[in-house]
Amino acid sequence: MCDDELIPPSADMTEDEWLRRDPSLGEGPVGQRVREMRALRRRSVLGGVVAGAAALAVLPGQAPAAAAARTREPGKFPLPTGPNRAGEYAVLLTGDAGTGEESQHAVAAAAREVCTAQGVSLAVGLGDNIYENGPESDHDSEFASKFEDPNSGLDMPWLMVLGNHDCSGLIPGSGGDPSRGDREVSYAKSSRRWYMPSRYYNVALPAAGGAQGDPLVEFFALDTNPVTSYVMQTDPHYYWNGPYMRDQRAWLDGALKASRARWKIVLGHHPYLNNGKHGSAGSYDGFVIGNYTSGIHLKELYEEVVCGRADLILSGHDHTLQLLEPTARTGGTRQIVCGAAAKSGDGKAHFNHPSTWQNFSDHGFMLLKVSDRAMTVEAYTVDVATRRASLAHRTRTATPVAGARV
């Protein structure tokens, strides 16, 4: 949810139950947003409402002939096939970017200058790609105004994950309708930048010399929404213990076991550990009960499947920049929070997980650099007025933790 939105008072209430329990909650700014969401959308939808509705009726994995033709028109920006001249993959990290406002444009402009100088060939978008409600179809004009236009010149594939605002239900940012994420998967077919072949997926990049041998780095992109929503899921498919999350967990467990990459990196919008105001999985926003709002089952997923197997967990959700320390609790896995690409935090730490560096006030982004020798993370803060980036911190590790657990 946005920082200015109310958090439902019960972890397991549906959105309608929340409003029925206290009707006065629906009379303020949140109520106005609810009424607007119930009304017919007035935003322009590329291709028209009828065309958008027809596209959404297609089953996952299928596409109408017109959409299939569109995917062949623009060439996709290709995934990098090898390290750059410095012998490393340089990757742009951003999160919570999709506002379309000046701050997003400023961060993207600053990142564009740094990426050009650093030989960046891949980007990661850590969710909340389309504020505040997610797209209304796979042709929504907000894909242009809140992703393509701000990122013009950042001409590379973007590994995208779903955030809670991308899967809004009745309440903006609730994560109450995960099925809305299918629109972003579908949009990837027609965008040169947007890479999201499915709701969760993995991408392996080869070491120097091409595809022969073990990958240098592998990314595992998760959909964390069904186990972190601010309201109870109403579709049994997306229950915290439903078929979707069971399948995703089994996939992640198997993919991490099977991976032979030197470096393994998990991407998920919601963090495992976090010193910002949203808090950590298992007690998000002060909730410690229920199967959804607290994120207790995402905590289990991270601890039982990811920690000690992946080198990094990269997350957004909190509008801050944090490089947390790998600890015994995490099995050597480092949590990074990078969610300040369009919104900034409240200026203070709310928790005290050990950190290498953190910033709760500024907009910014990060660069991840991966070679066969080391993995480096550089954190940049951005002055929105001048659109200039400043390198604020650099941390380097030469010892992978992947493989410590099987």
Side-chain angles (χ1 to χ4, degrees), residues 120-402:
V120 171
S121 58
L122 185 68
V124 168
L126 291 167
D128 284 355
N129 309 310
I130 306 292
Y131 280 108
E132 297 288 334
N133 310 302
E136 296 305 307
S137 82
D138 61 354
H139 298 87
D140 196 320
S141 62
E142 291 196 338
F143 281 116
S145 63
K146 297 183 177 181
F147 178 74
E148 302 289 356
D149 294 345
N151 294 319
S152 176
L154 290 166
D155 296 338
M156 60 195 76
W158 287 65
L159 308 185
M160 305 297 287
V161 300
L162 295 168
N164 51 297
H165 280 271
D166 302 305
C167 298
S168 293
L170 182 62
I171 305 299
S174 68
D177 186 2
S179 66
R180 292 173 68 98
D182 291 339
R183 301 166 187 177
E184 297 194 1
V185 175
S186 182
Y187 176 70
K189 300 171 185 175
S190 61
S191 170
R192 298 190 72 188
R193 293 180 180 83
W194 194 290
Y195 186 93
M196 188 184 280
S198 56
R199 300 173 63 97
Y200 53 87
Y201 59 91
N202 54 315
V203 171
L205 301 181
Q212 300 299 319
D214 296 339
L216 179 59
V217 58
E218 188 164 4
F219 297 90
F220 305 83
L222 307 184
D223 173 12
T224 57
N225 288 285
V227 286
T228 57
S229 55
Y230 283 91
V231 294
M232 184 178 70
Q233 294 296 329
T234 57
D235 182 345
H237 183 66
Y238 293 108
Y239 282 175
W240 70 268
N241 59 349
Y244 179 79
M245 286 307 302
R246 292 199 304 270
D247 288 348
Q248 183 174 192
R249 179 185 173 115
W251 163 81
L252 179 62
D253 186 35
L256 284 170
K257 284 181 180 178
S259 176
R260 298 179 62 85
R262 177 171 176 79
W263 306 99
K264 300 180 179 68
I265 298 169
V266 170
L267 315 175
H269 178 66
H270 297 82
Y272 170 46
L273 300 178
N274 169 36
N275 286 331
K277 65 182 298 183
H278 281 308
S280 300
S283 57
Y284 288 140
D285 297 291
F287 287 95
V288 293
I289 60 172
N291 293 315
Y292 295 98
T293 308
S294 68
I296 184 62
H297 299 296
L298 180 60
K299 179 177 185 289
E300 293 170 353
L301 179 65
Y302 280 140
E303 291 178 346
E304 296 173 6
V305 180
V306 175
C307 288
R309 285 176 170 167
D311 297 279
L312 298 178
I313 299 172
L314 303 182
S315 307
H317 194 48
D318 216 275
H319 303 153
T320 55
L321 301 167
Q322 302 173 52
L323 302 173
L324 300 185
E325 287 282 4
T327 64
R329 170 182 177 178
T330 67
T333 299
R334 182 191 294 275
Q335 170 73 68
I336 290 177
V337 179
C338 184
K343 302 185 178 186
S344 58
D346 61 0
K348 60 181 179 181
H350 291 254
F351 303 95
N352 60 357
H353 297 292
S355 65
T356 303
W357 176 88
Q358 51 192 354
N359 182 299
F360 299 93
S361 302
D362 294 312
H363 293 84
F365 61 90
M366 297 184 187
L367 290 191
L368 170 68
K369 298 179 179 179
V370 184
S371 72
D372 59 355
R373 302 178 305 279
M375 180 172 60
T376 302
V377 181
E378 297 177 349
Y380 290 82
T381 58
V382 174
D383 180 83
V384 171
T386 62
R387 297 188 167 195
R388 298 301 299 273
S390 299
L391 177 61
H393 185 85
R394 179 186 290 116
T395 188
R396 181 180 184 273
T397 180
T399 306
V401 301

